[in-house]
């Protein structure tokens, strides 16, 4: 099987919307081949300067795809597109 798509949610402490996006991503792990992580940017000066109040920010394989509110359908479609963009995925499909 191919490498999983890495879903990274950049968040802050006490961010309700960040928690919602993380729950959606975690739920999608049961049906899609993904790895999900949540990174608190509060302790990182560079990330805080870069992303500030735009959180949550969703990265797929380290590429920014969303900020703010994200639906399950939007995230599912973006994960499938990210997988399709990988050269080996196109060959095996």
């Amino acid at each position: 099987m191919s490498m999983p798509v890495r879903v990274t949610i950049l968040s802050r402490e006490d961010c309700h919307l960040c928690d919602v996006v993380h729950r959606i991503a975690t739920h999608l792990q049961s049906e899609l081949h993904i790895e999900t992580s949540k990174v608190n940017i509060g302790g990182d000066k560079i990330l805080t300067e870069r992303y500030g109040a735009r959180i949550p920010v969703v990265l797929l394989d380290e590429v920014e795809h969303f900020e703010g509110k994200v639906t399950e359908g939007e995230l599912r479609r973006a994960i499938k597109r990210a997988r399709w963009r990988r050269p080996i995925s196109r060959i095996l499909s």
Side-chain angles (χ1 to χ4, degrees):
M1 182 173 250
S2 65
M3 295 288 295
V5 173
R6 290 168 303 169
V7 179
T8 306
I9 296 108
L10 302 179
S11 66
R12 287 184 190 253
E13 246 180 81
D14 299 323
C15 171
H16 173 71
L17 195 52
C18 301
D19 294 337
V20 170
V21 173
H22 186 254
R23 277 195 304 274
I24 290 170
T26 302
H27 171 74
L28 290 175
Q29 280 183 305
S30 64
E31 64 181 84
L32 302 173
H33 188 53
I34 63 174
E35 290 179 359
T36 303
S37 63
K38 186 175 172 185
V39 176
N40 183 348
I41 68 167
D44 188 313
K45 184 179 178 182
I46 294 170
L47 290 177
T48 300
E49 287 176 5
R50 182 172 184 179
Y51 296 104
R54 295 191 311 136
I55 56 131
V57 174
V58 178
L59 309 175
L60 301 179
D61 289 335
E62 306 302 320
V63 176
E64 185 177 327
H65 281 265
F66 299 104
E67 68 178 68
K69 185 178 177 183
V70 180
T71 67
E72 183 176 328
E74 290 170 329
L75 185 55
R76 178 182 278 114
R77 286 186 296 276
I79 290 167
K80 288 179 179 180
R81 282 191 307 269
R83 183 172 291 123
W84 178 252
R85 287 188 183 109
R86 292 176 171 179
I88 192 69
S89 295
R90 284 183 263 158
I91 293 168
L92 297 175
S93 294

